[in-house]
Amino acid sequence: MAAFRTLDDLQPKGKRVLVRVDLNVPMENGKVTDATRIDRILPTIREIADKGGKVILLAHFGRPKNGPDEANSLKPIAAVLSQHLGRPVAFAADCIGGTAEKAVAAMKDGDVLLLENTRFHKGEEKNDPAIVDGLAKLGDAYVNDAFSAAHRAHASTEGVAHKLPAYAGRTMQAELEALDAALGKPKKPVIAIVGGAKVSTKLDLLGNLVNKVDALVIGGGMANTFLHAQGINVGKSLCEKDLANTAREIMAKADAARCAIILPVDATIAYHFAANAPNQVYGLDAIPDDAMILDVGPRSIERINAAISEASTLVWNGPLGAFELTPFDKGTVAAAHHAGALAKAGKLIAVAGGGDTVAAMNHAGVADDLTYISTAGGAFLEWMEGKALPGVEALRA
Ligand code: AMP
């Protein structure tokens, strides 16, 4: 990966520093229910403020349709951020124009100001030059600490990075370094685990991975499509039968690239998609017509764990089974424990990411054991698909 500029390259003293952050936190009844994203941006804010910079925070919140609306205002988040930061956070009711300019002009070195939801302006998502100019006017430098929004070329994530000297914040830097260690310049052999519901949502991802990794474990509902493509009866399992040819093409591509595909060799089945539904382990030659495969079986787990043991690097997206329903979380939890123990012992670089995967790793209790967990959903997947992320590209030195 070409180098990108970081806070090490920025002398913020006396400067107005626009910092793009991810404050798109879950809220219920006006309360933040998970402050992970807030906590992740604190190091960057503190570092710039402590070095005498004026920290001007840019963020989006929700998906406002028609300009400003109270439900999508960032105002309540300013108070929560202030509590976590342990210092005052001022708020301006617009992110461009007179209101924002006045608030910025009133700042002293080391102050922190949060600007209102960038998506209250339609031009934000269109990367409209008028919005880009309005934002650029407010700052002397730009820092992007929102990897999770970096797959979008919006005014605040990409456009403004071309108008001001641009740098990666500490959280963005950590994310880029972890991802680079997993797929950019990884220690070989590299294994990927891809699970989840459907093949159709992960075609680009599988296509990219077979050229990058030495072994690819396919689990979850999507494995059923691959099994069906090999002539195995998967009964009533989730299966995209119309993608059988695509599955065969992916396997041929993997073969040509010398990437070993590891599919389940047995299955835990049930007759209802429900927690604690009566379940049994079956060999793949005997899946009953009215059964659903809801998890990989014990021999598959052994095989997957043995493959993980042989790897130096693991990258993981998607659960191996319907992990939200016990006991169909068994495969995912067993592989997560194994990867977590190896990573903790320094024997494996293990990076996991994507919405459901974060929940699965938390469920398995290995979030602190893995080398890195990316909480970015779409951006993590696009990165796994090998796509250039506009917000990251704009930071390259
Ligand atoms: P994804 O968002 O594509 O990573 O898919 C995650 C979802 O896939 C989770 O909600 C799992 O419950 C579901 N899933 C995983 N394995 C299976 C399976 N064998 N049958 C049905 N759903 C599954």
Side-chain angles (χ1 to χ4, degrees):
M1 169 192 293
F4 46 89
R5 292 173 295 263
T6 71
L7 292 188
D8 294 333
D9 305 303
L10 169 67
Q11 282 84 42
K13 182 147 184 57
K15 289 189 182 141
R16 301 166 303 159
V17 185
L18 289 175
V19 185
R20 179 56 160 97
V21 288
D22 183 356
L23 287 175
N24 203 20
V25 290
M27 294 259 277
E28 258 169 49
N29 305 324
K31 292 244 174 325
V32 174
T33 51
D34 181 350
T36 309
R37 286 181 162 164
I38 290 180
D39 290 333
R40 284 207 169 187
I41 61 173
L42 300 179
T44 292
I45 299 174
R46 288 203 178 107
E47 181 170 342
I48 298 169
D50 289 347
K51 286 179 178 169
K54 297 170 178 145
V55 182
I56 304 154
L57 300 171
L58 298 174
H60 75 275
F61 189 68
R63 294 182 183 277
K65 287 270 170 292
N66 295 308
D69 68 272
E70 212 184 313
N72 287 305
S73 173
L74 276 170
K75 194 168 183 201
I77 309 281
V80 183
L81 174 61
S82 170
Q83 278 164 13
H84 283 252
L85 196 57
R87 50 184 98 179
V89 175
F91 180 77
D94 200 349
C95 67
I96 53 169
T99 307
E101 285 162 21
K102 241 193 243 156
V104 171
M107 292 176 83
K108 293 193 280 303
D109 290 354
D111 279 357
V112 181
L113 167 71
L114 173 62
L115 303 181
E116 182 58 287
N117 194 345
T118 51
R119 288 193 186 166
F120 282 175
H121 292 275
K122 280 220 166 79
E124 153 75 339
E125 293 180 67
K126 296 191 179 115
N127 212 348
D128 181 341
I131 306 289
V132 172
D133 288 343
L135 293 173
K137 241 170 125 173
L138 302 174
D140 305 303
Y142 169 81
V143 170
N144 192 341
D145 215 18
F147 177 82
S148 51
H151 56 315
R152 313 254 188 242
H154 293 173
S156 70
T157 60
E158 201 260 355
V160 68
H162 295 293
K163 294 277 177 181
L164 297 173
Y167 308 85
R170 293 301 181 201
T171 297
M172 170 74 92
Q173 183 185 348
E175 184 103 24
L176 293 178
E177 285 170 358
L179 299 191
D180 198 41
L183 276 190
K185 291 187 290 293
K187 200 167 161 217
K188 290 189 142 252
V190 186
I191 190 169
I193 299 178
V194 180
K198 290 184 172 178
V199 182
S200 50
T201 59
K202 296 191 182 173
L203 288 176
D204 287 350
L205 194 148
L206 294 169
N208 181 45
L209 286 179
V210 293
N211 286 316
K212 296 235 168 101
V213 304
D214 303 291
L216 173 60
V217 174
I218 299 177
M222 59 192 288
N224 301 335
T225 302
F226 284 82
L227 297 177
H228 165 75
Q230 294 184 317
I232 291 166
N233 173 31
V234 296
K236 288 219 170 93
S237 305
L238 180 64
C239 178
E240 293 169 287
K241 293 194 171 153
D242 53 326
L243 289 181
N245 269 337
T246 309
R248 282 189 285 265
E249 276 162 29
I250 291 169
M251 303 215 25
K253 212 174 151 191
D255 208 36
R258 294 175 185 276
C259 165
I261 298 269
I262 300 174
L263 281 167
V265 290
D266 59 354
T268 300
I269 62 105
Y271 298 91
H272 306 284
F273 191 78
N276 302 313
N279 57 88
Q280 281 129 14
V281 172
Y282 271 88
L284 295 180
D285 53 350
I287 306 290
D289 286 343
D290 51 350
M292 279 181 290
I293 299 174
L294 292 185
D295 195 11
V296 294
R299 282 202 302 122
S300 306
I301 297 173
E302 255 175 52
R303 190 138 185 262
I304 292 166
N305 281 354
I308 295 173
S309 296
E310 279 175 28
S312 296
T313 304
L314 163 69
V315 50
W316 187 343
N317 171 263
L320 293 173
F323 78 99
E324 301 95 334
L325 311 173
T326 45
F328 309 107
D329 57 343
K330 240 187 212 164
T332 305
V333 168
H337 282 169
H338 188 60
L342 289 172
K344 207 172 169 186
K347 292 181 183 154
L348 179 73
I349 295 163
V351 174
D356 272 318
T357 313
V358 179
M361 297 303 130
N362 283 332
H363 172 73
V366 299
D368 293 335
D369 297 342
L370 300 186
T371 316
Y372 193 78
I373 293 199
S374 174
T375 53
F380 183 84
L381 285 180
E382 288 199 20
W383 165 80
M384 259 181 110
E385 288 164 359
K387 294 184 179 147
L389 308 184
V392 172
E393 293 308 307
L395 303 176
R396 294 207 188 277

